[in-house]
Amino acid sequence: SCWCSMNYSHSYYGSQYSNYYLSQHSIPSDVKAHACLMILAWGFCNPNAIIISRHFKKGWPGRTINNLAYWFQFHVILQSFTLGFVLLALMIIVVHVMGYSTLNELPFSAHPPCGFTVIVLTFSNPIVAWFLCTTSGRQRAITKCVHQTAGILSQMLSIPTALIGLQMPALGSVVCSSKIYSALFIISVVLNVIIEVIFEIIGYKIKKNVQVVQSILSIGADEADTLLARFIKDPKRGNTFLEQYNSEFIEQPPKKGIPIEITKNRTLWVIKNFFLAVHLALSFSLKFVLVGLLTA
C-alpha cells in the first residue's frame, strides 16, 4: 500500500531511472515487487484475518492446533504474512528510492505519508496484541479496543493508499491501464464489504437463536454457547447433551428432544463456513490476477 517510489514525473526518481522508463516503457522490477507484496498484504491477508477474527471465534468449537483455537491460528498466520509482506515491501521501496520519496503533486504526494502511517499501525498492532494476551479485566477490554481500532484503521487507510499507487502514470504503459488495476482492487474491496454484511446478518440470526435456547432451557449465555458448540461438534449426541435440562419444551420437541433453534444454528454455521470458503477463493483469485497483470 505504500508505493513511495512511484512518481508523477519520472524525473523525480533521478536520472538513472528516467532513461529506464523512457526506453523500456515499464516500471522497475523492485517497484512491481513492492506493489504486489502490498496488494497481497492489504488485499488478501489482512482483511481475511480481520474477518476470521470478527466472525469465527465460535466457528470451530473444540478444534485446536497446539491448544490454540482454529480461528486464532488462522488469524495469526494471515497477520504474520501481512507483517512479512509489508516489511519486505518497505525495504524494497526504500532501497529503490534511496530514502524517502520526493513526490510533490496530489494525489500522488499523499501516497508515501499514508503508506507510512499504515506501516506504523501495522507494526504497532502485534505489540498491542501481546498485551491483549497478557492482561485481564478492564485493561484487557481497553487493549482489545485499541487492537481492533488499529487493525481496522490500517485496513481502511490502506485502500485509498493502494488506489493512489495504482493510478501512478507509469502503470498505464504496461499490460493494462491504471483503471483496470484499480477496478480489480475495488472489486475485491466490495467483495469484502459484501461478505462482512452477510456474516453480520448470519451472526445476528445465530445470536437470536442462542437467546431463544437460553429462554427455553433457563440457562445463561455462556452455558448456551457451550451447549451449541457441543452440538455443532457432535450433533449425533444432541439428546445426550440435553438430558440434564428439565424443560417442558423437551417433552414435546421436534427432532427427538432437540430444540429447533439448535439445529438452525448448526445449519447457519454450515452456511457461514461455505461463504467463507467461497470468499477466500474469490479473493485470492482476484489478487492472483492483479498480481499477474502487474508482473507481466
Side-chain angles (χ1 to χ4, degrees):
S1 67
C2 177
W3 289 15
C4 304
S5 66
M6 298 300 294
N7 206 302
Y8 185 73
S9 172
H10 301 328
S11 62
Y12 293 157
Y13 286 108
S15 59
Q16 67 269 41
Y17 295 116
S18 297
N19 293 332
Y20 184 96
Y21 281 104
L22 293 174
S23 62
Q24 299 187 23
H25 303 288
S26 181
I27 53 177
S29 58
D30 46 2
V31 176
K32 289 182 180 181
H34 171 82
C36 293
L37 288 168
M38 287 301 194
I39 286 171
L40 290 173
W42 300 108
F44 181 79
C45 294
N46 194 66
N48 287 310
I50 292 174
I51 286 172
I52 290 174
S53 176
R54 293 189 68 239
H55 300 287
F56 285 86
K57 288 182 178 178
K58 300 176 182 178
W60 301 284
R63 298 179 182 179
T64 62
I65 301 175
N66 294 329
N67 295 322
L68 295 174
Y70 273 16
W71 76 265
F72 184 78
Q73 293 279 18
F74 293 147
H75 179 73
V76 170
I77 290 171
L78 288 170
Q79 291 291 36
S80 297
F81 273 108
T82 300
L83 285 172
F85 288 155
V86 169
L87 178 60
L88 187 57
L90 175 64
M91 293 170 61
I92 289 172
I93 210 63
V94 168
V95 170
H96 175 72
V97 299
M98 296 176 290
Y100 187 80
S101 174
T102 56
L103 291 165
N104 58 13
E105 292 192 33
L106 289 172
F108 308 114
S109 60
H111 184 81
C114 288
F116 275 106
T117 302
V118 171
I119 289 171
V120 170
L121 289 170
T122 302
F123 284 96
S124 62
N125 221 10
I127 300 173
V128 177
W130 183 83
F131 282 107
L132 179 61
C133 296
T134 57
T135 56
S136 59
R138 184 180 178 184
Q139 287 184 336
R140 178 178 173 81
I142 295 173
T143 307
K144 181 179 180 181
C145 182
V146 173
H147 180 63
Q148 292 176 337
T149 302
I152 293 173
L153 279 178
S154 62
Q155 181 61 38
M156 292 178 64
L157 186 57
S158 72
I159 295 171
T161 305
L163 289 174
I164 292 172
L166 291 170
Q167 294 300 314
M168 297 290 183
L171 288 179
S173 63
V174 286
V175 177
C176 296
S177 67
S178 294
K179 291 182 179 180
I180 299 296
Y181 299 132
S182 299
L184 288 172
F185 191 81
I186 290 172
I187 289 172
S188 69
V189 173
V190 172
L191 180 64
N192 288 335
V193 173
I194 291 174
I195 203 67
E196 281 280 0
V197 172
I198 291 173
F199 285 158
E200 286 291 342
I201 293 172
I202 295 176
Y204 173 78
K205 290 183 176 294
I206 290 175
K207 183 178 179 180
K208 294 297 290 185
N209 287 337
V210 170
Q211 291 174 348
V212 172
V213 171
Q214 285 182 248
S215 176
I216 292 173
L217 302 179
S218 300
I219 57 178
D222 291 340
E223 191 174 358
D225 284 335
T226 301
L227 174 63
L228 291 168
R230 293 173 68 190
F231 183 83
I232 292 171
K233 184 179 179 181
D234 189 4
K236 293 181 179 180
R237 297 181 58 200
N239 287 312
T240 303
F241 300 147
L242 292 171
E243 286 177 355
Q244 59 181 303
Y245 301 105
N246 182 18
S247 171
E248 294 179 359
F249 186 86
I250 297 179
E251 295 176 2
Q252 297 179 347
K255 293 198 175 182
K256 301 180 181 180
I258 302 174
I260 191 65
E261 285 74 18
I262 294 181
T263 58
K264 283 182 178 179
N265 265 17
R266 183 170 182 270
T267 302
L268 288 171
W269 273 111
V270 170
I271 294 172
K272 203 171 182 180
N273 288 331
F274 171 76
F275 273 115
L276 177 64
V278 172
H279 168 72
L280 290 175
L282 289 175
S283 179
F284 182 80
S285 298
L286 282 170
K287 304 313 172 302
F288 183 82
V289 171
L290 183 53
V291 168
L293 290 173
L294 285 169
T295 56

